Amino acid sequence: MLSIEKYQDQFISYLQEYSTVTEPKNLYEPIDYILGLGGKRLRPVLTLMTADIFNGDYKIALNAALSIEVFHNFSLVHDDIMDDAPLRRGEETVHEKWDINTGILSGDAMLIMAYQLFENYEANTFQSLAKLFSKTALEVCEGQQYDVDFETRNDVTIPEYLKMIEYKTAVLVGAAMKMGAIVAGASSEDQNSIYEFGRNLGIAFQLQDDYLDAFGDPKTFGKQVGGDIIENKKTYLYLKALEFSNDTDKIELSQLFNSIPEDVATKIEVAKQFFVSTGSADATKEAIKDYTTKAFLGLDSLNISEDKKDLLKTFGSNLMNRAV
């Protein structure tokens, strides 16, 4: 087993070999650009680490890991177009640096390239990877559509919200780990168990992201604190606050999250006061803990050594503490 940093280094080296610009340059340069913007590469690292955990050589999982990373960045290119986002990881988004048509077409090419990488595996492995990938890719699209729909709905339920973050975020974490298990030749039971570990950890991670968006430290969070509040996003914090509020506070909170004031600082503070006073903030922290615990409990059924289970628990704990 390698350290997280070593897996990252190995993956980035492989990515740099893969990223070659060919003709037409206006199609491939944006792909090279978005793949080179950095990030922690956690999803591909999970694929490599899982292959090692199930006694495979992580190097044979490099193409599956790269597929996950190419797909993830494809989704970011298209998400940025939908959100009209100017920046990605502190740099210009693809559609800003080039144009919208280029962003759409280069994103489409990335989705195809992600599938192509499975061609490096023998037939049975290819089929298993492609089947999982197709299911996951469609779920990510469904999650994105739910997210878009929720922007104009005032009747979003907590189960609907949890389904949205599961599809938009968590299933890709689960798939990244299951791909490593598939490549390593793990049993179907172990493949499914490691998927559930990743899926539950992914839900916990997104709930924590919601919490940190309101209550995180601006120096360490990496994004604008209060961004979800400014954008009127119906996060778990908001939905729990509604659930716990009396009728008068429900009206006030709902009006707050349908407003676009010039003074966003006051809006953020008022929303945070609602989250604390209603008990929503504590309920969100409890949900984060519950999904993390559920992820760890799922490791009990894995046919791996206790040392490797502990390694996965340490990784999960570090992820939730934003230490990886």
Side-chain angles (χ1 to χ4, degrees):
M1 299 292 297
L2 304 181
S3 66
I4 298 300
E5 292 75 21
K6 288 291 185 182
Y7 285 124
Q8 287 170 328
D9 290 344
Q10 291 295 312
F11 177 75
I12 289 168
S13 295
Y14 197 71
L15 173 64
Q16 288 169 343
E17 292 175 19
Y18 173 79
S19 297
T20 53
V21 176
T22 57
E23 295 293 337
K25 287 186 176 179
N26 280 340
L27 178 68
Y28 291 105
E29 279 184 351
I31 297 172
D32 191 58
Y33 171 78
I34 187 70
L35 289 173
L37 282 187
K40 294 182 179 179
R41 320 288 187 182
L42 286 177
R43 294 163 190 81
V45 163
L46 285 172
T47 304
L48 302 181
M49 185 173 73
T50 306
D52 264 353
I53 280 171
F54 288 110
N55 300 317
D57 181 349
Y58 77 87
K59 292 179 181 177
I60 63 173
L62 280 164
N63 283 301
L66 185 53
S67 174
I68 283 286
E69 184 70 359
V70 171
F71 173 79
H72 174 59
N73 281 274
F74 140 75
S75 70
L76 297 182
V77 171
H78 281 192
D79 284 1
D80 286 341
I81 293 171
M82 295 174 72
D83 295 339
D84 195 22
L87 298 175
R88 168 65 63 182
R89 296 173 184 142
E91 301 292 337
E92 281 185 292
T93 48
V94 167
H95 71 278
E96 286 287 337
K97 189 172 177 65
W98 282 270
D99 53 52
I100 288 176
N101 287 345
T102 298
I104 293 170
L105 194 59
S106 293
D108 289 345
M110 291 174 78
L111 180 58
I112 297 163
M113 291 162 71
Y115 267 106
Q116 273 188 323
L117 286 158
F118 298 141
E119 295 171 8
N120 295 295
Y121 295 100
E122 54 87 21
N124 288 337
T125 303
F126 172 91
Q127 185 179 37
S128 295
L129 290 171
K131 185 176 180 180
L132 172 61
F133 186 90
S134 296
K135 173 181 176 289
T136 305
L138 197 55
E139 286 173 339
V140 170
C141 291
E142 290 171 3
Q144 176 67 4
Q145 185 61 56
Y146 284 131
D147 197 20
V148 171
D149 291 346
F150 292 174
E151 290 176 10
T152 56
R153 280 182 53 191
N154 289 313
D155 59 347
V156 178
T157 65
I158 287 173
E160 285 179 321
Y161 181 76
L162 289 171
K163 183 176 182 180
M164 184 273 287
I165 63 173
E166 176 188 352
Y167 280 17
K168 189 175 179 183
T169 302
V171 295
L172 196 59
V173 177
M177 301 195 81
K178 187 172 181 178
M179 283 186 181
I182 289 170
V183 171
S187 68
S188 297
E189 291 79 9
D190 280 345
Q191 289 176 27
N192 292 333
S193 292
I194 202 68
Y195 176 88
E196 286 302 308
F197 169 77
R199 186 182 67 85
N200 283 312
L201 201 62
I203 294 172
F205 183 85
Q206 186 57 52
L207 288 172
Q208 189 191 53
D209 208 59
D210 290 355
Y211 181 85
L212 292 176
D213 186 272
F215 297 102
D217 184 344
K219 295 176 184 176
T220 57
F221 183 44
K223 292 186 285 186
Q224 178 187 18
V225 173
D228 288 345
I229 297 169
I230 294 169
E231 295 174 22
N232 295 323
K233 289 203 169 182
K234 287 85 172 178
T235 63
Y236 193 87
L237 275 168
Y238 168 76
L239 295 172
K240 273 293 178 184
L242 270 187
E243 180 185 328
F244 295 155
S245 292
N246 59 40
D247 290 343
T248 302
D249 286 346
K250 277 182 182 177
I251 293 170
E252 188 177 341
L253 184 59
S254 181
Q255 288 174 341
L256 185 70
F257 272 74
N258 281 283
S259 66
I260 310 174
E262 290 185 13
D263 183 7
V264 295
T266 298
K267 177 179 179 176
I268 292 169
E269 281 308 309
V270 172
K272 287 169 67 173
Q273 288 169 14
F274 268 112
F275 296 159
V276 173
S277 65
T278 60
S280 166
D282 287 339
T284 302
K285 287 193 286 187
E286 193 63 31
I288 294 166
K289 182 181 176 182
D290 288 346
Y291 276 100
T292 305
T293 300
K294 192 181 293 185
F296 291 167
L297 287 174
L299 296 176
D300 292 343
S301 63
L302 285 176
N303 293 302
I304 58 175
S305 68
E306 290 302 316
D307 286 349
K308 289 180 177 179
K309 290 179 184 179
D310 288 341
L311 187 147
L312 284 169
K313 288 178 183 177
T314 299
F315 174 84
S317 297
N318 288 340
L319 181 64
M320 297 312 296
N321 293 319
R322 302 298 162 103
V324 293

